Amino acid sequence: MPEEAPAQQASGERVPVDVAVGVLIDGGGRFLLTSRPEGKVYAGYWEFPGGKLEAGESVEQALRRELHEELGITIGAVQPWRIEVVDYAHARVRLHFCKVFAWDGAFEMREAQQMAWNTLPVDVSPVLPGTVPVLRWFAEERGFSGPTHAAT
């Protein structure tokens, strides 16, 4: 998530910052969540990994770069999934969620974050607000009717 002050439109509405988000899913259907590192907004909250698009980057290019920078992996095919706009106190973000089923390399937590493979309900908390819709989407896809995460 962005750390700087968000841009403003003439109407006073904050311009969303585009963020590529990787929803890594392993062969058993588990998905990867990582914790936000110390020093960042929402440090310690769990989220799907990714980061801001740089000037001229596509969502896929940004996702490949971010997952290599943060996790040390090289991802395979990227499947664009859904887009969600989330208003945080510090920024408005447009999250481009992409499913990823294949990657190469060993996971390295290059920002001293933690990682956890999860199913529903997730067993890590607190969960970043922008992550909650994805857990609902997984529940819909998988016919899961229980709570998707612990209340934060």
Side-chain angles (χ1 to χ4, degrees):
M1 299 300 136
E3 307 299 327
E4 67 274 356
Q8 299 284 325
Q9 291 181 347
S11 65
E13 184 176 315
R14 297 186 298 172
V15 177
V17 174
D18 287 295
V19 176
V21 184
V23 181
L24 279 68
I25 302 170
D26 73 6
R30 299 179 308 165
F31 49 88
L32 181 72
L33 292 175
T34 58
S35 63
R36 292 192 50 82
E38 289 301 317
K40 289 196 174 183
V41 176
Y42 287 101
Y45 278 70
W46 290 85
E47 66 178 351
F48 292 94
K52 293 185 288 189
L53 275 66
E54 293 182 354
E57 271 187 326
S58 68
V59 169
E60 182 174 340
Q61 289 169 331
L63 188 59
R64 289 184 183 284
R65 177 184 50 75
E66 286 285 345
L67 294 184
H68 187 263
E69 288 175 1
E70 292 179 11
L71 306 177
I73 60 170
T74 301
I75 59 173
V78 172
Q79 296 179 9
W81 187 24
R82 299 198 185 192
I83 298 172
E84 183 85 5
V85 175
V86 178
D87 278 309
Y88 290 101
H90 70 286
R92 182 175 187 171
V93 293
R94 181 182 301 113
L95 304 169
H96 298 262
F97 292 100
C98 300
K99 289 183 177 178
V100 177
F101 294 94
W103 51 87
D104 289 316
F107 285 92
E108 302 170 26
M109 299 297 103
R110 294 180 169 177
E111 295 183 344
Q113 73 274 43
Q114 294 179 296
M115 65 177 272
W117 289 101
N118 281 265
T119 58
L120 295 175
V122 298
D123 56 6
V124 294
S125 67
V127 175
L128 194 66
T131 298
V132 173
V134 183
L135 301 178
R136 284 196 306 264
W137 302 334
F138 271 135
E140 291 167 8
E141 283 185 357
R142 298 173 180 196
F144 183 83
S145 60
T148 58
H149 65 288
T152 53

